[in-house]
Amino acid sequence: MSHPEYILTLSCLDQRGIVHRVSGFLSEYGCNIIDSAQFGDAQSKLFFMRVHFSAENPAIADEALRTAFAALAASMQMNWQLNDATKKPRMLLMVSKIGHCLNDLLFRYKSGLLPVEIPAIVSNHTDFYQLAASYNIPFHHLPLKTGASPEAKQAQEARVLELIATHDIDLVVLARYMQILSPELCTALTGKAINIHHSFLPSFKGAKPYYQAHERGVKLIGATAHFVTGDLDEGPIIEQDVARVDHAMNPETLTAIGRDVESVVLARAVKWFVEHRILLNGHKTVVFK
């Protein structure tokens, strides 16, 4: 007989007895810990914990478990979430005219490597409507012309927010969506939107960053996945990686290698999010791998 499984994540001021009280609570309520990870940050004085457990007492309903833990959490001033481990988060993808990250995420989704539901893809261009159709995912073309007025941008973003609400979206992924989000939209998506960019920023801003890097003779290229904030490309970092390059590679080769790194880094960040492994620690993250 299978039992309901949950993932509990929490953070609070570091103090004696947190692990003891959480594990004791789970034992008292008939739960069995499958795996657990914790971290105390000496700098922020915060304690972080992730516990994957099964609820093995059929007499204790989901609501009763949550209500009882809420009382414990309040007594220790915890920020916490209790998620159904078997529920697939709902993800909205946003893309412009460069599709490597979109294509990679869709493949991982279709092959079962990424446990999510994708009810919608949004783009300000029409380049990938056929790709979306091949996965039987609705494609929403929400154009935004270069130099669009603030009113036009506001109206376009209102449609994005409408789709997020309609489809009960848990995570928005900017899979090379080349539009700057308004501060209002960034605020609305706090903690549930992930972006990817090449790690040359801020050294190589603007068009063709890999060509700029080639001109400077770089030896490492990389990518950064981070949460979206109102500070462009400066949100809390989730994952980064690099690849070595050399003088014999032309700009096209650098671009191809860079796009591979971007795809992998974004996929890791998304997977960790949907597995509830990422906790915010001020302007940083704690990632339980």
Side-chain angles (χ1 to χ4, degrees):
M1 177 182 176
S2 61
H3 301 286
E5 293 186 13
Y6 295 88
I7 295 174
L8 169 67
T9 55
L10 63 89
S11 64
C12 62
L13 284 176
D14 204 351
Q15 55 197 286
R16 290 191 187 94
I18 300 172
V19 174
H20 173 74
R21 292 189 66 179
V22 171
S23 59
F25 171 90
L26 294 175
S27 176
E28 179 184 350
Y29 280 80
C31 301
N32 181 49
I33 294 175
I34 297 170
D35 64 70
S36 177
Q38 52 273 331
F39 169 69
D41 187 345
Q43 184 176 18
S44 68
K45 309 300 183 185
L46 293 176
F47 181 84
F48 302 85
M49 190 172 185
R50 177 187 185 272
V51 187
H52 179 192
F53 66 90
S54 60
E56 300 181 355
N57 185 348
I60 300 176
D62 177 277
E63 184 177 352
L65 185 66
R66 293 176 185 275
T67 300
F69 190 81
L72 169 62
S75 72
M76 303 188 76
Q77 297 183 306
M78 292 178 179
N79 293 314
W80 64 285
Q81 288 188 328
L82 184 60
N83 292 282
D84 181 344
T86 61
K87 181 179 180 292
K88 294 181 179 181
R90 297 171 64 78
M91 181 170 74
L92 182 142
L93 295 170
M94 300 183 70
V95 65
S96 290
K97 295 176 71 70
I98 301 174
H100 56 284
C101 288
L102 173 68
N103 193 53
D104 180 77
L105 290 172
L106 290 175
F107 171 79
R108 293 172 189 269
Y109 152 74
K110 190 68 173 181
S111 60
L113 297 173
L114 193 59
V116 295
E117 300 291 348
I118 306 177
I121 295 172
V122 168
S123 181
N124 55 324
H125 298 280
T126 59
D127 298 57
F128 299 111
Y129 78 93
Q130 288 180 318
L131 178 63
S134 71
Y135 286 91
N136 199 29
I137 298 173
F139 182 88
H140 299 270
H141 178 218
L142 305 181
L144 194 63
K145 294 181 180 179
T146 303
S149 68
E151 294 76 17
K153 185 175 182 66
Q154 185 179 30
Q156 192 250 20
E157 290 189 344
R159 284 285 294 118
V160 174
L161 286 171
E162 183 182 323
L163 287 168
I164 291 170
T166 299
H167 294 290
D168 194 22
I169 296 299
D170 300 297
L171 173 65
V172 174
V173 178
L174 307 185
R176 295 305 302 270
Y177 179 69
M178 307 306 289
Q179 291 288 326
I180 297 175
L181 304 187
S182 69
E184 294 76 18
L185 184 55
C186 290
T187 299
L189 297 178
T190 298
K192 66 176 202 175
I194 295 175
N195 191 18
I196 184 74
H197 69 73
H198 55 81
S199 287
F200 297 127
L201 290 173
S203 298
F204 301 109
K205 292 184 177 180
K208 295 188 174 182
Y210 292 104
Y211 284 72
Q212 297 178 51
H214 182 265
E215 287 296 316
R216 293 288 300 276
V218 301
K219 302 299 185 254
L220 283 172
I221 59 175
T224 298
H226 61 89
F227 281 116
V228 173
T229 67
D231 297 319
L232 182 63
D233 291 328
E234 294 184 14
I237 293 170
I238 301 169
E239 173 63 339
Q240 295 176 296
D241 207 346
V242 295
R244 283 209 162 270
V245 296
D246 61 38
H247 64 277
M249 298 176 181
N250 60 30
E252 291 78 14
T253 301
L254 263 63
T255 300
I257 294 171
R259 289 180 176 178
D260 285 345
V261 177
E262 290 171 14
S263 297
V264 171
V265 168
L266 182 58
R268 286 181 195 149
V270 171
K271 188 172 188 292
W272 294 337
F273 182 96
V274 303
E275 292 177 350
H276 311 291
R277 297 183 180 276
I278 308 168
L279 287 80
L280 283 170
N281 182 16
H283 197 64
K284 301 186 291 184
T285 61
V286 172
V287 182
F288 290 120
K289 300 177 185 178

